[in-house]
Amino acid sequence: MRWAIFTSGKEDWNVGDLKKEAGRQGVDCKVFSLTELVGRLGKEPKVSCGGQDLERFDALLVRWTPGGSAEQIVFRMDVLHRLENLGIKVFNPVDAIERCADKFYTCSLLEDAGIPVPKTVVAEKEKDASRAFEELGDVVVKPLFGSLGTGMLRVKEEDLAYRVFSALEFGRYIYYIQEFIPHENRDIRSFVLDGDIIGTMERISDNWKTNIAKGGKGRKCNLSEELKDVSKKSLDILGCEYAGVDIVETEDEFYVVEVNGIPGWKKLQSVTDINIAEKIVNYLKNSLY
């Protein structure tokens, strides 16, 4: 058995954990960067990476989608789609990766299916962004694509809103403006695999950003039956086989703020007895053989 793992060009803890568990179960894993993909028409190999024919691998695990120009990003997704069309298992499915990478598309699909998400305005014009700020008052401005809490700003003052929106206008960025939900500097990460919740973690921080990459701390927690159902339903809506569902709660409401289609589990592993990498490897093996 041969699996390929796509990264940004370096192996993080999650990739190392997967490789170790896969090796223990007799699976040979090779690591590649998505930036080295080569597609061919009319000659072989049809798709290669790092000089190796990807059709010779049983499964391709996408652990990172690096940034780039619009052409670069579209090309990488096109190649992954072609690999799926050639019968190669891509994990998560490419459609799911694309949906989860776009915060607006993710939240719109969730809302249309009846799952609560924060009030959000997405626009190209500064005047529409300013109007959204006036309506919502306390907002979080996010990059449309991004992860780990990078690039998010909380904006409460009119002068700051002006400077932020002007900078985004200069860079020809999209305005992604979301109502700030008071959450006592805590949220919940629910890790779902194949319809089962295999771990949940409360993330706590000294500030409003609870991302572990931004200094948040994790501790084990239990989910209500309602939030369990919402977590599982979110994956069904987006077509994910596994994902991290991020939920914020107020006194009487909850909101799904993001679904991470390439979730890490280093901190979650430290607060659960379940071997997450083993669960993932077992699932992939069962889905293939």
Side-chain angles (χ1 to χ4, degrees):
M1 289 181 286
R2 298 181 73 210
W3 296 355
I5 303 177
F6 289 123
T7 72
S8 61
K10 61 181 180 179
E11 297 185 26
D12 64 7
W13 183 92
N14 302 283
V15 172
D17 197 35
L18 273 177
K19 284 183 63 179
K20 179 180 177 182
E21 180 59 34
R24 189 184 70 81
Q25 296 196 33
V27 179
D28 179 28
C29 285
K30 301 294 183 184
V31 177
F32 300 99
S33 170
L34 273 181
T35 61
E36 296 183 3
L37 287 169
V38 177
R40 295 178 178 85
L41 300 173
K43 60 183 298 184
E44 303 290 338
K46 295 176 182 177
V47 181
S48 64
C49 195
Q52 296 201 40
D53 183 354
L54 292 182
E55 286 188 80
R56 297 183 179 274
F57 288 82
D58 300 291
L60 308 173
L61 290 70
V62 181
R63 281 301 314 159
W64 191 252
T65 54
S69 69
E71 282 193 348
Q72 289 172 324
I73 293 170
V74 169
F75 166 69
R76 294 165 195 161
M77 294 299 106
D78 285 346
V79 173
L80 292 177
H81 275 298
R82 190 179 192 203
L83 287 163
E84 282 188 330
N85 293 339
L86 292 169
I88 310 300
K89 171 75 173 181
V90 180
F91 180 78
N92 258 320
V94 187
D95 283 342
I97 292 172
E98 290 177 329
R99 293 177 188 125
C100 292
D102 183 332
K103 293 183 177 67
F104 174 61
Y105 194 28
T106 297
C107 287
S108 64
L109 289 171
L110 294 177
E111 180 179 69
D112 292 347
I115 291 180
V117 299
K119 293 176 182 176
T120 304
V121 175
V122 187
E124 289 193 43
K125 300 297 184 181
E126 189 274 337
K127 62 181 177 62
D128 296 312
S130 296
R131 187 178 299 115
F133 173 70
E134 292 173 3
E135 293 172 356
L136 299 175
D138 189 353
V139 302
V140 178
V141 181
K142 300 180 178 181
L144 189 62
F145 305 108
S147 61
L148 306 177
T150 301
M152 297 195 308
L153 292 172
R154 184 178 175 186
V155 178
K156 296 186 288 183
E157 295 83 20
E158 185 176 345
D159 287 345
L160 179 58
Y162 173 78
R163 292 186 65 84
V164 170
F165 295 162
S166 296
L168 292 175
E169 182 180 39
F170 182 78
R172 300 176 67 184
Y173 290 101
I174 292 293
Y175 298 96
Y176 187 95
I177 301 166
Q178 200 164 65
E179 168 191 31
F180 177 76
I181 306 296
H183 56 291
E184 298 181 342
N185 297 342
R186 60 176 291 275
D187 69 0
I188 294 171
R189 162 60 65 90
S190 174
F191 196 103
V192 188
L193 171 68
D194 189 29
D196 291 326
I197 296 174
I198 61 174
T200 55
M201 173 177 64
E202 184 179 54
R203 301 184 300 189
I204 306 163
S205 177
D206 293 332
N207 60 68
W208 65 272
K209 285 190 182 182
T210 57
N211 308 75
I212 299 299
K214 297 301 180 183
K217 297 177 173 56
R219 66 185 182 194
K220 187 175 182 179
C221 69
N222 296 315
L223 289 186
S224 66
E225 290 301 318
E226 182 179 28
L227 292 186
K228 288 179 183 178
D229 290 342
V230 164
S231 297
K232 296 175 184 178
K233 185 178 178 181
S234 295
L235 268 70
D236 290 339
I237 294 165
L238 298 171
C240 297
E241 293 178 276
Y242 84 133
V245 182
D246 295 340
I247 303 168
V248 296
E249 294 181 289
T250 64
E251 286 188 7
D252 51 8
E253 296 176 307
F254 69 86
Y255 303 89
V256 174
V257 294
E258 191 168 339
V259 178
N260 190 328
I262 308 177
W265 59 90
K266 181 178 181 180
K267 178 58 67 173
L268 179 61
Q269 186 61 79
S270 71
V271 299
T272 181
D273 295 328
I274 295 173
N275 187 327
I276 297 172
E278 182 180 38
K279 288 280 189 181
I280 293 172
V281 171
N282 285 341
Y283 168 74
L284 272 173
K285 289 178 68 176
N286 291 336
S287 68
L288 288 166
Y289 312 110

